[in-house]
Amino acid sequence: MLIGGFLWAQVIGTLTSVLSTMSPATTDFKLTIAALNKYIHNNDLPETMSQRLRDYFFRTRHLWDSNESAKVLRKLSPRMQGEVLMQVNRTWLRGVPWLEHEDTAFLAELILGMHPAVFAPQELIEFSALFVVSTGVALCGGRIVRMNATFGDDMLLASPALRAREMVRSLTYLEVYYMDRDQVWHAAEGHYNTYRRLRRAVGFMALHRFVVLIAKAQRKLSLVQAIQRERVIVEGAKPNAKWKR
């Protein structure tokens, strides 16, 4: 009976160990929630704030699974990585002109390097990057962006004055993946033809934005000059006070 008890304890311990390591993402998430609860208790945070923090972490639970998926994809050959990633990301790639027809190997490297992020409702997104919406809804300028939509695709422009000035605000919990300017150029350095095409695309984009800015400035100047002419005409039509007397 004693030997049987030891054997049974060994079996139970082994099964418990297997089950606990079956999903590393789930284990990591549970440890994070435990650490969050301890932080809330130690700092005596208000109940409303505590609930918001817990809600945020449960809304961002997919980030743990995303990291595991990236690890799996990196174990595939470059060709298979490209095939899988092109199939999964083909919808939003069509919305980015300078990525739509690029080299598969470059796109695979770029997509695997994208960073996940989650924004709470009514949160402003103020830094420059190319964002791909995974789930949620946001207001970008005057348009609504949803799943597989992109915004910030002019982040390759070095001058902030040439970039779009649209304000982006999340309307719900917004789950996105993003890449910044340095990440794109770093990935392009290993692909000579891609690097040349991107430089050419950025040049045309900058020229187009510059022409648009000049046209807007000319329209504003014309409007100001028209207002000044109207003011001169109106003031010239007023009767002279000395003539009245």
Side-chain angles (χ1 to χ4, degrees):
M1 289 178 63
L2 186 60
I3 294 173
F6 278 119
L7 291 175
W8 182 245
Q10 181 68 27
V11 171
I12 294 296
T14 303
L15 289 176
T16 304
S17 177
V18 170
L19 291 174
S20 64
T21 58
M22 186 175 294
S23 177
T26 302
T27 303
D28 192 18
F29 176 76
K30 291 180 178 179
L31 291 174
T32 302
I33 294 297
L36 174 66
N37 290 331
K38 184 177 180 180
Y39 181 84
I40 291 172
H41 176 73
N42 292 341
N43 293 277
D44 195 22
L45 297 182
E47 184 61 31
T48 305
M49 182 179 292
S50 303
Q51 186 59 40
R52 285 178 58 200
L53 292 174
R54 293 190 184 99
D55 186 44
Y56 179 84
F57 274 98
F58 275 100
R59 294 277 185 171
T60 59
R61 184 171 182 173
H62 75 286
L63 298 182
W64 280 264
D65 295 328
S66 175
N67 293 332
E68 293 300 316
S69 300
K71 291 178 182 178
V72 172
L73 288 172
R74 286 191 174 93
K75 294 180 180 180
L76 297 175
S77 66
R79 181 177 179 180
M80 295 184 70
Q81 284 182 8
E83 292 178 1
V84 173
L85 291 172
M86 293 306 100
Q87 178 66 27
V88 174
N89 299 277
R90 66 184 185 281
T91 302
W92 69 263
L93 284 172
R94 297 193 191 105
V96 185
W98 47 272
L99 286 180
E100 185 178 4
H101 302 293
E102 268 307 331
D103 180 60
T104 303
F106 166 71
L107 291 176
E109 182 180 349
L110 204 60
I111 294 170
L112 284 175
M114 294 180 74
H115 309 287
V118 178
F119 296 95
Q122 302 305 316
E123 188 173 352
L124 284 175
I125 304 173
E126 298 179 315
F127 59 96
S128 177
L130 171 62
F131 292 89
V132 181
V133 179
S134 177
T135 59
V137 181
L139 182 64
C140 179
R143 63 190 177 97
I144 299 293
V145 292
R146 295 185 174 87
M147 181 179 178
N148 286 325
T150 60
F151 57 90
D153 57 351
D154 59 352
M155 54 86 177
L156 288 180
L157 296 172
S159 174
L162 296 178
R163 299 176 192 153
R165 301 178 183 179
E166 298 174 333
M167 180 179 293
V168 183
R169 184 186 297 273
S170 57
L171 301 180
T172 63
Y173 273 98
L174 187 68
E175 302 172 6
V176 299
Y177 290 88
Y178 71 92
M179 65 180 80
D180 57 24
R181 183 173 182 269
D182 293 338
Q183 179 185 346
V184 175
W185 289 121
H186 179 72
E189 287 177 355
H191 304 269
Y192 178 72
N193 292 329
T194 296
Y195 185 84
R196 291 183 59 189
R197 284 193 293 267
L198 286 181
R199 296 290 297 179
R200 192 181 305 115
V202 171
F204 281 117
M205 190 188 306
L207 178 62
H208 176 263
R209 293 291 176 87
F210 182 74
V211 170
V212 170
L213 286 178
I214 293 297
K216 288 182 178 179
Q218 288 179 342
R219 284 199 297 269
K220 289 181 180 179
L221 181 61
S222 300
L223 181 60
V224 171
Q225 291 174 345
I227 293 174
Q228 290 178 343
R229 285 195 297 268
E230 290 291 334
R231 184 178 298 173
V232 170
I233 293 173
V234 171
E235 290 179 353
K238 289 181 179 179
N240 194 320
K242 188 183 293 185
W243 178 81
K244 282 185 176 181
R245 289 196 297 268

